[in-house]
Amino acid sequence: MSVRDIAHKAREGASVFLRDVGHGLLEVGHNGLALLGFTVLLAAVFAVGHDDLRHRAEVAALDWLQSRQEARIDADADLTVALAEPTAVERATATDPGALDRQQAAVAQWISRRYRVALEPVSRLVQEAWHLGERAGLDPTLILAVVAIESRFNPFAQSPVGAQGLMQVMTRVHTDKYEPFGGAHAAFDPVANLRVGVQVLKEYVARSGSVEDGLRWYVGAANLDSDGGYVGKVLGEQSKLAQVAQGKSLSPFTPLRPQPPATPVAAPEAPADDGAPDAAHPATAAPAPAPASDGPQGWPKLAMN
């Protein structure tokens, strides 16, 4: 037999071998897929009759899909996508300045420039001050003036004696007033703090008989010889806000000077007390020193024992 015949026989043998192996693998794969399909069918039929198993399978599948999605998001390293929260805007204390009337818009613009705070949240606070003023019988410019002197429109402000938020209410003294808003941490929600502060101020004005005396109680200086100029500063700022609300063009950079009272303000008698502490600020033995600046600065709190 020649070399050519031997090579031919070898090729034929190899071809037969490979063909048989291929057919065998195809048969095994076909049978394996059939078995897998049959197994899946049996599992599906079994799960249909068992709600708990079907539920667990659905949860497992959902978890797997979510983990795959989170893995893709993490790979993008985009936190705005990874931590997206479409309802976050609902927590923002802000409103469209265009929703305000002419008076409110003028006041909001002036405060925004004077205290260097964003117009949208200030617009919401101005809007709320008008609403609260009507309900509490207080001038909204007085409410905003108290906020200006107390915190400079910083909703996270806190004094050394524990007065907190926009209106620097003593949270630990007025905890009960924050209960309708979910608890003491609402002191740092601008609208909740404004509402509680207005209620406290309203009570002091009503009990003492005048805005001036109510402000002295509010700052904790009713039983002191001096309020450190607090009442004059609040009323001076209110005067500016009132002028702006009336349409007067007033520079937002005018210095913050106290408005002198028409008559000397005597320390009022203590309001009726039920024995529980009821002051916006607890008192110290002496008023805090006045700030050195004559500009629109926050005012240090007085406190009462």
Side-chain angles (χ1 to χ4, degrees), residues 28-44:
V28 170
H30 178 75
N31 292 336
L33 290 174
L35 180 61
L36 177 62
F38 183 68
T39 303
V40 171
L41 179 62
L42 287 178

Side-chain angles (χ1 to χ4, degrees), residues 212-231:
E212 290 81 359
D213 290 345
L215 288 171
R216 287 172 62 86
W217 275 102
Y218 190 87
V219 78
N223 295 324
L224 302 177
D225 294 334
S226 171
D227 63 14
Y230 175 82
V231 172

